[in-house]
Amino acid sequence: MRLFTLPNFLTLGNLFCGILSVLYLTGVLKTEEINVAHSVFYLLCASLILDLLDGMVARALKISSEIGVQLDSLADMVSFGLVPGLIMMNLLNTSLQTEFGIGSVFGFLITLFSALRLAKFNVDTEQSAYFKGLATPANTIFIFSLFWITTKNEGILISKGSVDFFLLLFVTALSSYLLIANLPMFSFKLKGLSWTENYYKYIFLIISFVLLLILGISALAVVIPFYILLSLIFRKKILYA
């Protein structure tokens, strides 16, 4: 059993980035609030890249292993499970105007359902061509986008009131449901490059690129719901592709 392989080192890099994000979000690593958002953004990008690369490298080198699969899920549980839960906890705290309100623990529903989603993915053999439910990285991107908008434009997303608290609870519940829902959502694994086979993926990429150019990182709050909407519209095509 080979533990020290390049794909496993990449996966551990993903995990390390997740740990650093946790330290920033919990205040163990001190910085200004606006810099927390920047730090977590860079670490999230690194985690996403490393999470993509570990599988690609394993397949290219033909050294895929069961331990690599399990290690990948364990790393994702921190980077794309615990991190979004902490982000939502912070958002709920902000809406309650407290450092830690008991209501903010509901943010960790995202963490719990992320664990269920990752366990479900590991035993489901039908998710090689598409995802069932929202993948944890995509969900983390969406939750982070809310944190980014709130940090950059205080009062636009949450105005420190009970209505906004319940809105965030709704987002938490919806996010948790989407993680484990049996809804087919397209992946970006391409069998070919033809427009006919992949037009909905190309549409998503083009529109997302334009939104990012116009709105910057805040566009992620629109990009992920757009991804979900397209997946629902092209549900049959995704299933029978």
Side-chain angles (χ1 to χ4, degrees), residues 19-31:
I19 292 170
L20 290 178
S21 292
V22 169
L23 295 178
Y24 276 114
L25 289 166
T26 55
V28 175
L29 289 177
K30 301 290 186 180
T31 185

Side-chain angles (χ1 to χ4, degrees), residues 54-91:
D54 60 5
M56 291 176 61
V57 171
R59 288 187 293 272
L61 298 179
K62 297 181 180 180
I63 52 175
S64 298
S65 66
E66 184 60 29
I67 194 168
V69 172
Q70 299 306 320
L71 183 63
D72 185 67
S73 288
L74 290 170
D76 286 354
M77 187 58 222
V78 176
S79 298
F80 310 127
L82 180 57
V83 168
L86 279 170
I87 290 173
M88 184 55 74
M89 184 200 76
N90 286 336
L91 289 173

Side-chain angles (χ1 to χ4, degrees), residues 105-155:
V105 299
F106 286 108
F108 288 113
L109 281 173
I110 294 171
T111 301
L112 300 180
F113 278 81
S114 293
L116 287 173
R117 194 270 182 287
L118 289 166
K120 179 181 175 184
F121 179 82
N122 281 355
V123 300
D124 193 335
T125 58
E126 296 181 2
Q127 296 193 59
S128 58
Y130 64 91
F131 299 117
K132 284 184 182 178
L134 188 62
T136 53
N139 186 59
T140 302
I141 289 171
F142 176 69
I143 299 300
F144 171 77
S145 71
L146 304 183
F147 181 59
W148 180 270
I149 292 170
T150 302
T151 303
K152 295 293 184 178
N153 307 290
E154 186 175 357

